[in-house]
Amino acid sequence: MGAGASPLPQPLSSLSLSSPRPGPGPGRLPSLSFPRNKRRQRQRHPLSLSLSPLRCSPSPHSPHSPHSPQTQQQQLVEELEEPQQQTQQTQTFLSPSSLSKLQTLSSFSRTHHFPDNHKSATLLIRPMLDPEIDSVSDLLSQSFIQTLFFPPNYVKLLAFLVKNYLLGRRALLPHATVLVGIYYSADTDAQDQHAQLACTAEISFDEHGANAASSTPFPPPDCPYICNMTVKDSLRRKGIGKRLLNTCEDLITEMTDKRDLYLHCRMVDKVPLSMYRKAGYQIVKTDSFLVWLTLQRRKYLMCKTLCDDVIGSETPTAGK
């Protein structure tokens, strides 16, 4: 998928057309003390997250604008705290470890600053918000189209499949998450900032978040794994992929005690392969020639042992 960050697409067979069931369906209360025309409220799965409408503001540089890092971080905290409120309503409680991981996700973000053609540029990387699912689906779909050599008119169908896949992955919080990078660029003398989705990556932290239809060679399901990593075409060759990879490693060290991190890289992607090797990843397995029968490229399975004191970001921020 381009320089800086290798797309690590899942096979189309792994994209589910249906999201996890939210819970038991509606029914009528048998008690005679209630009117017959009242229905029970539909129960929701304690880990399911509802799609919230995207709020717009005419002032993009205002602190209350949906494009500002402060507003997005507050929205992220509210969305990731929602499963905790739902567990109290349904009397189904998450383990203390899961609640702690949800809090870690709600406060996690990394900010990177770098010049961009006489402009002030900032890259904010954090967990994906619900209103951003469509944008992330489009970005991944464009990447898959280039990787799988599909005709351009399949983009909408592929975006639909990817969106349903992302909705299913959202239900696995805090065992898996999707990170997004928001790129803010502005002239040095201007106050207005232009924000756009620059990159994305998916992380599974343990066997509960592992993808059942992972790419070959298969990584250990109980170890952290990075996939579906891509950078927008117009923003490549800026070092965004390297910063995204470092941020994934930072989050993994905070979310799990496992230190062996795995990812895939296609054998034909020389630039991403060089980036991974410079970052300390080593090839542990190689795809068989038989993978060509599935119309896929051969891939390397790469592994890196993380250190607890590694900080891959320039400016860590929490709760901002």
Side-chain angles (χ1 to χ4, degrees):
M1 251 181 1
S6 169
L8 302 172
Q10 301 289 338
L12 291 182
S13 61
S14 66
L15 304 180
S16 173
L17 289 175
S18 61
S19 57
R21 295 183 179 179
R28 296 182 180 274
L29 292 174
S31 174
L32 296 178
S33 60
F34 293 87
R36 291 180 177 272
N37 59 351
K38 288 190 176 182
R39 299 175 180 268
R40 292 179 60 188
Q41 296 293 330
R42 181 183 296 271
Q43 298 180 359
R44 303 169 61 185
H45 193 280
L47 289 182
S48 63
L49 298 177
S50 60
L51 291 176
S52 57
L54 178 62
R55 298 184 293 273
C56 298
S57 171
S59 178
H61 59 275
S62 170
H64 303 289
S65 169
H67 300 292
S68 66
Q70 295 86 352
T71 303
Q72 292 180 351
Q73 190 67 28
Q74 180 61 31
Q75 187 176 1
L76 175 64
V77 172
E78 294 175 357
E79 289 187 2
L80 293 180
E81 285 180 350
E82 184 179 350
Q84 303 179 33
Q85 300 174 0
Q86 293 175 359
T87 54
Q88 296 177 359
Q89 296 174 359
T90 59
Q91 301 300 319
T92 302
F93 297 95
L94 297 176
S95 66
S97 175
S98 296
L99 290 176
S100 176
K101 291 178 180 179
L102 281 175
Q103 294 172 357
T104 299
L105 284 174
S106 67
S107 62
F108 180 84
S109 66
R110 292 292 184 269
T111 303
H112 306 269
H113 304 280
F114 48 91
D116 181 15
N117 296 330
H118 307 290
K119 295 182 180 181
S120 172
T122 301
L123 179 67
L124 173 65
I125 302 178
R126 51 161 176 75
M128 179 184 65
L129 301 174
D130 279 348
E132 296 167 339
I133 290 183
D134 287 334
S135 299
V136 175
S137 301
D138 292 338
L139 178 59
L140 287 173
S141 300
Q142 293 290 342
S143 175
F144 290 153
I145 287 292
Q146 299 174 8
T147 303
L148 302 175
F149 303 105
F150 279 13
N153 55 350
Y154 277 78
V155 172
K156 291 185 178 181
L157 173 61
L158 192 55
F160 171 78
L161 297 174
V162 173
K163 180 178 180 179
N164 281 272
Y165 169 80
L166 292 176
L167 289 173
R169 301 301 288 172
R170 288 282 283 169
L172 296 178
L173 285 169
H175 304 289
T177 190
V178 176
L179 293 183
V180 295
I182 310 300
Y183 187 83
Y184 300 89
S185 62
D187 295 332
T188 54
D189 298 332
Q191 294 182 352
D192 293 343
Q193 290 185 335
H194 174 64
Q196 57 180 318
L197 177 64
C199 57
T200 182
E202 179 186 331
I203 307 173
S204 58
F205 302 105
D206 51 39
E207 63 273 13
H208 300 292
N211 198 320
S214 176
S215 299
T216 58
F218 298 113
D222 59 336
C223 290
Y225 173 70
I226 300 175
C227 65
N228 293 335
M229 180 177 173
T230 187
V231 177
K232 189 175 181 179
D233 286 343
S234 60
L235 295 176
R236 292 174 181 173
R237 305 283 182 178
K238 297 179 181 293
I240 293 178
K242 179 181 178 180
R243 290 170 170 84
L244 177 60
L245 180 62
N246 291 339
T247 303
C248 291
E249 295 175 354
D250 286 351
L251 179 58
I252 289 171
T253 57
E254 296 186 18
M255 291 289 292
T256 178
D257 295 332
K258 300 279 187 176
R259 289 297 175 261
D260 289 336
L261 170 60
Y262 291 85
L263 54 79
H264 284 104
C265 181
R266 298 191 310 169
M267 297 176 64
V268 297
D269 294 332
K270 302 301 182 182
V271 175
L273 179 61
S274 176
M275 182 189 72
Y276 293 142
R277 282 178 166 168
K278 290 179 180 179
Y281 290 84
Q282 297 181 350
I283 299 174
V284 293
K285 289 183 181 179
T286 304
D287 251 338
S288 168
F289 289 98
L290 297 178
V291 76
W292 286 338
L293 298 177
T294 62
L295 303 180
Q296 297 187 45
R297 300 276 192 174
R298 295 180 67 194
K299 298 176 292 297
Y300 294 123
L301 178 64
M302 309 186 73
C303 178
K304 176 182 178 180
T305 301
L306 303 177
C307 299
D308 293 332
D309 57 349
V310 171
I311 300 179
S313 63
E314 300 173 2
T315 306
T317 58
K320 294 182 180 181

